[in-house]
Amino acid sequence: MFGKYRIAILGALALAAVPAMAAPVTPSSQAQSRALILVPLTLTKIDDLRFGTVVPSSLSGMVSINASTGARTIAGGVTGVPSDVGQRAYFGGAGTGNQQVIITYVQPTELTSTTNSADKIPVLALTLDGSPIRTINPVTRTFFFGMGGIIMINADQAEGLYEANFDVTANYQ
């Protein structure tokens, strides 16, 4: 019986003699991990359409996001902020290989300020990155598409965050 206690005490002493380890440090930035799971006959939004940050002037202008590349183009009296260039909307779906899907959407007429609902930005167009008729990949049984758009920034547009929702539908044939 004495031997068992003696081993336990020696083990405790050995643990107590271990030098103290440095305290864990919280990382200064976080990483994100993601997995996309596509269920057959569904449509999943991967990314929102964002026009980025712009600075208006006394002249009106336009901001465009390319549906294929996500690149932003600015015209007229608008200056783009390089640190927030926006992005295209991106969607994915799944179904039977070689099945055709028709993509439809309802374009909002305007973006509305989140702080003053009287402030609006006209939406001139939403665009797809190709034909609205897609064929589901026979190997992966998936399809993907991007959406861009064009908005009109009015002269002396009030500052703020502007947003609107739009509906996108995948009609499986």
Side-chain angles (χ1 to χ4, degrees):
M1 199 81 176
F2 177 71
K4 289 183 183 176
Y5 287 113
R6 185 175 184 166
I7 293 171
I9 293 171
L10 289 175
L13 290 174
L15 288 175
V18 174
M21 302 301 277
V25 177
T26 304
S28 60
S29 64
Q30 294 181 342
Q32 182 182 52
S33 59
R34 296 176 11 172
L36 177 62
I37 308 299
L38 296 173
V39 177
L41 302 180
T42 62
L43 181 64
T44 302
K45 177 194 67 157
I46 299 168
D47 292 316
D48 286 317
L49 173 59
R50 292 184 20 249
F51 291 93
T53 302
V54 298
V55 178
S57 72
S58 60
L59 300 172
S60 63
M62 293 188 308
V63 179
S64 173
I65 298 291
N66 183 292
S68 297
T69 66
R72 178 172 72 173
T73 303
I74 295 177
V78 177
T79 302
V81 175
S83 62
D84 183 14
V85 297
Q87 69 184 21
R88 69 182 177 163
Y90 199 60
F91 297 87
T96 303
N98 292 318
Q99 182 179 16
Q100 288 200 322
V101 179
I102 300 173
I103 307 301
T104 59
Y105 56 91
V106 178
Q107 175 178 312
T109 57
E110 58 199 8
L111 305 180
T112 303
S113 171
T114 59
T115 56
N116 182 358
S117 61
D119 293 330
K120 312 279 187 192
I121 294 176
V123 176
L124 302 179
L126 288 184
T127 57
L128 282 171
D129 64 355
S131 171
I133 301 172
R134 306 296 168 113
T135 301
I136 297 174
N137 183 300
V139 176
T140 64
R141 298 181 11 220
T142 61
F143 67 97
F144 297 90
F145 63 94
M147 290 190 72
I150 304 169
I151 58 173
M152 177 75 147
I153 305 296
N154 296 314
D156 301 316
Q157 183 75 49
E159 76 174 3
L161 176 64
Y162 291 77
E163 61 185 16
N165 292 320
F166 60 95
D167 294 323
V168 179
T169 305
N171 296 302
Y172 292 84
Q173 302 298 303

PDB file of all heavy atoms in Angstrom, residues 88-106:
ATOM      1  N   ARG A  88     -19.172  40.714 -57.003  1.00  0.00           N
ATOM      2  CA  ARG A  88     -20.380  40.195 -57.652  1.00  0.00           C
ATOM      3  C   ARG A  88     -21.111  39.257 -56.697  1.00  0.00           C
ATOM      4  O   ARG A  88     -20.521  38.728 -55.750  1.00  0.00           O
ATOM      5  CB  ARG A  88     -20.006  39.452 -58.925  1.00  0.00           C
ATOM      6  CG  ARG A  88     -19.268  38.152 -58.640  1.00  0.00           C
ATOM      7  CD  ARG A  88     -18.862  37.460 -59.902  1.00  0.00           C
ATOM      8  NE  ARG A  88     -18.099  36.254 -59.578  1.00  0.00           N
ATOM      9  CZ  ARG A  88     -17.882  35.283 -60.408  1.00  0.00           C
ATOM     10  NH1 ARG A  88     -18.340  35.355 -61.648  1.00  0.00           N
ATOM     11  NH2 ARG A  88     -17.193  34.227 -60.046  1.00  0.00           N
ATOM     12  N   ALA A  89     -22.378  39.058 -56.934  1.00  0.00           N
ATOM     13  CA  ALA A  89     -23.118  38.022 -56.216  1.00  0.00           C
ATOM     14  C   ALA A  89     -22.742  36.693 -56.860  1.00  0.00           C
ATOM     15  O   ALA A  89     -22.473  36.632 -58.071  1.00  0.00           O
ATOM     16  CB  ALA A  89     -24.621  38.259 -56.320  1.00  0.00           C
ATOM     17  N   TYR A  90     -22.709  35.646 -56.073  1.00  0.00           N
ATOM     18  CA  TYR A  90     -22.333  34.331 -56.607  1.00  0.00           C
ATOM     19  C   TYR A  90     -23.257  33.287 -56.008  1.00  0.00           C
ATOM     20  O   TYR A  90     -23.538  33.310 -54.797  1.00  0.00           O
ATOM     21  CB  TYR A  90     -20.868  34.045 -56.263  1.00  0.00           C
ATOM     22  CG  TYR A  90     -20.238  32.980 -57.120  1.00  0.00           C
ATOM     23  CD1 TYR A  90     -20.149  33.138 -58.502  1.00  0.00           C
ATOM     24  CD2 TYR A  90     -19.729  31.823 -56.563  1.00  0.00           C
ATOM     25  CE1 TYR A  90     -19.558  32.166 -59.288  1.00  0.00           C
ATOM     26  CE2 TYR A  90     -19.137  30.851 -57.349  1.00  0.00           C
ATOM     27  CZ  TYR A  90     -19.057  31.023 -58.702  1.00  0.00           C
ATOM     28  OH  TYR A  90     -18.482  30.059 -59.490  1.00  0.00           O
ATOM     29  N   PHE A  91     -23.760  32.397 -56.862  1.00  0.00           N
ATOM     30  CA  PHE A  91     -24.720  31.377 -56.465  1.00  0.00           C
ATOM     31  C   PHE A  91     -24.265  30.014 -56.948  1.00  0.00           C
ATOM     32  O   PHE A  91     -23.548  29.904 -57.945  1.00  0.00           O
ATOM     33  CB  PHE A  91     -26.098  31.667 -57.085  1.00  0.00           C
ATOM     34  CG  PHE A  91     -26.710  32.957 -56.628  1.00  0.00           C
ATOM     35  CD1 PHE A  91     -26.424  34.149 -57.274  1.00  0.00           C
ATOM     36  CD2 PHE A  91     -27.583  32.981 -55.554  1.00  0.00           C
ATOM     37  CE1 PHE A  91     -26.986  35.346 -56.858  1.00  0.00           C
ATOM     38  CE2 PHE A  91     -28.151  34.173 -55.128  1.00  0.00           C
ATOM     39  CZ  PHE A  91     -27.851  35.354 -55.779  1.00  0.00           C
ATOM     40  N   GLY A  92     -24.710  28.975 -56.259  1.00  0.00           N
ATOM     41  CA  GLY A  92     -24.443  27.602 -56.664  1.00  0.00           C
ATOM     42  C   GLY A  92     -25.692  26.764 -56.484  1.00  0.00           C
ATOM     43  O   GLY A  92     -26.535  27.046 -55.637  1.00  0.00           O
ATOM     44  N   GLY A  93     -25.792  25.729 -57.294  1.00  0.00           N
ATOM     45  CA  GLY A  93     -26.922  24.820 -57.197  1.00  0.00           C
ATOM     46  C   GLY A  93     -26.490  23.422 -57.582  1.00  0.00           C
ATOM     47  O   GLY A  93     -25.360  23.202 -58.029  1.00  0.00           O
ATOM     48  N   ALA A  94     -27.377  22.479 -57.401  1.00  0.00           N
ATOM     49  CA  ALA A  94     -27.077  21.089 -57.715  1.00  0.00           C
ATOM     50  C   ALA A  94     -28.326  20.410 -58.263  1.00  0.00           C
ATOM     51  O   ALA A  94     -29.447  20.853 -58.018  1.00  0.00           O
ATOM     52  CB  ALA A  94     -26.585  20.357 -56.476  1.00  0.00           C
ATOM     53  N   GLY A  95     -28.100  19.361 -58.996  1.00  0.00           N
ATOM     54  CA  GLY A  95     -29.202  18.603 -59.578  1.00  0.00           C
ATOM     55  C   GLY A  95     -28.670  17.425 -60.367  1.00  0.00           C
ATOM     56  O   GLY A  95     -27.512  17.023 -60.216  1.00  0.00           O
ATOM     57  N   THR A  96     -29.481  16.891 -61.245  1.00  0.00           N
ATOM     58  CA  THR A  96     -29.112  15.766 -62.082  1.00  0.00           C
ATOM     59  C   THR A  96     -28.180  16.231 -63.196  1.00  0.00           C
ATOM     60  O   THR A  96     -28.427  17.268 -63.819  1.00  0.00           O
ATOM     61  CB  THR A  96     -30.378  15.132 -62.691  1.00  0.00           C
ATOM     62  OG1 THR A  96     -31.247  14.764 -61.631  1.00  0.00           O
ATOM     63  CG2 THR A  96     -30.040  13.920 -63.545  1.00  0.00           C
ATOM     64  N   GLY A  97     -27.119  15.474 -63.443  1.00  0.00           N
ATOM     65  CA  GLY A  97     -26.179  15.813 -64.499  1.00  0.00           C
ATOM     66  C   GLY A  97     -26.870  16.027 -65.833  1.00  0.00           C
ATOM     67  O   GLY A  97     -27.797  15.301 -66.190  1.00  0.00           O
ATOM     68  N   ASN A  98     -26.445  17.055 -66.569  1.00  0.00           N
ATOM     69  CA  ASN A  98     -26.975  17.441 -67.880  1.00  0.00           C
ATOM     70  C   ASN A  98     -28.394  18.013 -67.836  1.00  0.00           C
ATOM     71  O   ASN A  98     -28.955  18.332 -68.879  1.00  0.00           O
ATOM     72  CB  ASN A  98     -26.901  16.295 -68.890  1.00  0.00           C
ATOM     73  CG  ASN A  98     -25.476  15.974 -69.252  1.00  0.00           C
ATOM     74  OD1 ASN A  98     -24.655  16.873 -69.456  1.00  0.00           O
ATOM     75  ND2 ASN A  98     -25.158  14.692 -69.299  1.00  0.00           N
ATOM     76  N   GLN A  99     -28.969  18.146 -66.665  1.00  0.00           N
ATOM     77  CA  GLN A  99     -30.283  18.764 -66.530  1.00  0.00           C
ATOM     78  C   GLN A  99     -30.143  20.258 -66.804  1.00  0.00           C
ATOM     79  O   GLN A  99     -29.144  20.877 -66.443  1.00  0.00           O
ATOM     80  CB  GLN A  99     -30.807  18.539 -65.109  1.00  0.00           C
ATOM     81  CG  GLN A  99     -32.181  19.100 -64.844  1.00  0.00           C
ATOM     82  CD  GLN A  99     -32.634  18.807 -63.407  1.00  0.00           C
ATOM     83  OE1 GLN A  99     -31.844  18.460 -62.543  1.00  0.00           O
ATOM     84  NE2 GLN A  99     -33.930  18.971 -63.173  1.00  0.00           N
ATOM     85  N   GLN A 100     -31.132  20.851 -67.450  1.00  0.00           N
ATOM     86  CA  GLN A 100     -31.090  22.283 -67.706  1.00  0.00           C
ATOM     87  C   GLN A 100     -31.801  23.042 -66.595  1.00  0.00           C
ATOM     88  O   GLN A 100     -32.779  22.572 -66.025  1.00  0.00           O
ATOM     89  CB  GLN A 100     -31.702  22.619 -69.056  1.00  0.00           C
ATOM     90  CG  GLN A 100     -30.808  22.189 -70.201  1.00  0.00           C
ATOM     91  CD  GLN A 100     -31.130  22.924 -71.477  1.00  0.00           C
ATOM     92  OE1 GLN A 100     -32.280  23.191 -71.772  1.00  0.00           O
ATOM     93  NE2 GLN A 100     -30.097  23.254 -72.220  1.00  0.00           N
ATOM     94  N   VAL A 101     -31.253  24.234 -66.317  1.00  0.00           N
ATOM     95  CA  VAL A 101     -31.786  25.114 -65.283  1.00  0.00           C
ATOM     96  C   VAL A 101     -31.944  26.495 -65.912  1.00  0.00           C
ATOM     97  O   VAL A 101     -31.045  26.966 -66.613  1.00  0.00           O
ATOM     98  CB  VAL A 101     -30.823  25.201 -64.079  1.00  0.00           C
ATOM     99  CG1 VAL A 101     -31.359  26.142 -63.022  1.00  0.00           C
ATOM    100  CG2 VAL A 101     -30.571  23.828 -63.503  1.00  0.00           C
ATOM    101  N   ILE A 102     -33.069  27.136 -65.664  1.00  0.00           N
ATOM    102  CA  ILE A 102     -33.283  28.495 -66.144  1.00  0.00           C
ATOM    103  C   ILE A 102     -33.237  29.427 -64.929  1.00  0.00           C
ATOM    104  O   ILE A 102     -34.007  29.257 -63.977  1.00  0.00           O
ATOM    105  CB  ILE A 102     -34.619  28.641 -66.890  1.00  0.00           C
ATOM    106  CG1 ILE A 102     -34.633  27.712 -68.105  1.00  0.00           C
ATOM    107  CG2 ILE A 102     -34.852  30.090 -67.301  1.00  0.00           C
ATOM    108  CD1 ILE A 102     -35.960  27.646 -68.823  1.00  0.00           C
ATOM    109  N   ILE A 103     -32.317  30.400 -64.976  1.00  0.00           N
ATOM    110  CA  ILE A 103     -32.136  31.349 -63.884  1.00  0.00           C
ATOM    111  C   ILE A 103     -33.005  32.577 -64.162  1.00  0.00           C
ATOM    112  O   ILE A 103     -32.932  33.177 -65.238  1.00  0.00           O
ATOM    113  CB  ILE A 103     -30.662  31.799 -63.775  1.00  0.00           C
ATOM    114  CG1 ILE A 103     -29.722  30.596 -63.687  1.00  0.00           C
ATOM    115  CG2 ILE A 103     -30.478  32.765 -62.608  1.00  0.00           C
ATOM    116  CD1 ILE A 103     -29.973  29.686 -62.530  1.00  0.00           C
ATOM    117  N   THR A 104     -33.832  32.942 -63.203  1.00  0.00           N
ATOM    118  CA  THR A 104     -34.621  34.170 -63.298  1.00  0.00           C
ATOM    119  C   THR A 104     -34.373  34.991 -62.037  1.00  0.00           C
ATOM    120  O   THR A 104     -33.976  34.453 -61.003  1.00  0.00           O
ATOM    121  CB  THR A 104     -36.131  33.881 -63.443  1.00  0.00           C
ATOM    122  OG1 THR A 104     -36.580  33.136 -62.309  1.00  0.00           O
ATOM    123  CG2 THR A 104     -36.423  33.110 -64.714  1.00  0.00           C
ATOM    124  N   TYR A 105     -34.615  36.295 -62.143  1.00  0.00           N
ATOM    125  CA  TYR A 105     -34.430  37.171 -60.988  1.00  0.00           C
ATOM    126  C   TYR A 105     -35.348  38.373 -61.114  1.00  0.00           C
ATOM    127  O   TYR A 105     -35.808  38.715 -62.195  1.00  0.00           O
ATOM    128  CB  TYR A 105     -32.972  37.619 -60.845  1.00  0.00           C
ATOM    129  CG  TYR A 105     -32.412  38.291 -62.071  1.00  0.00           C
ATOM    130  CD1 TYR A 105     -32.500  39.677 -62.235  1.00  0.00           C
ATOM    131  CD2 TYR A 105     -31.788  37.553 -63.067  1.00  0.00           C
ATOM    132  CE1 TYR A 105     -31.984  40.288 -63.365  1.00  0.00           C
ATOM    133  CE2 TYR A 105     -31.271  38.157 -64.192  1.00  0.00           C
ATOM    134  CZ  TYR A 105     -31.374  39.518 -64.338  1.00  0.00           C
ATOM    135  OH  TYR A 105     -30.866  40.131 -65.460  1.00  0.00           O
ATOM    136  N   VAL A 106     -35.624  38.977 -59.966  1.00  0.00           N
ATOM    137  CA  VAL A 106     -36.436  40.190 -59.905  1.00  0.00           C
ATOM    138  C   VAL A 106     -35.513  41.315 -59.461  1.00  0.00           C
ATOM    139  O   VAL A 106     -34.973  41.286 -58.353  1.00  0.00           O
ATOM    140  CB  VAL A 106     -37.614  40.029 -58.926  1.00  0.00           C
ATOM    141  CG1 VAL A 106     -38.409  41.321 -58.838  1.00  0.00           C
ATOM    142  CG2 VAL A 106     -38.494  38.859 -59.337  1.00  0.00           C
TER     143      VAL A 106
END
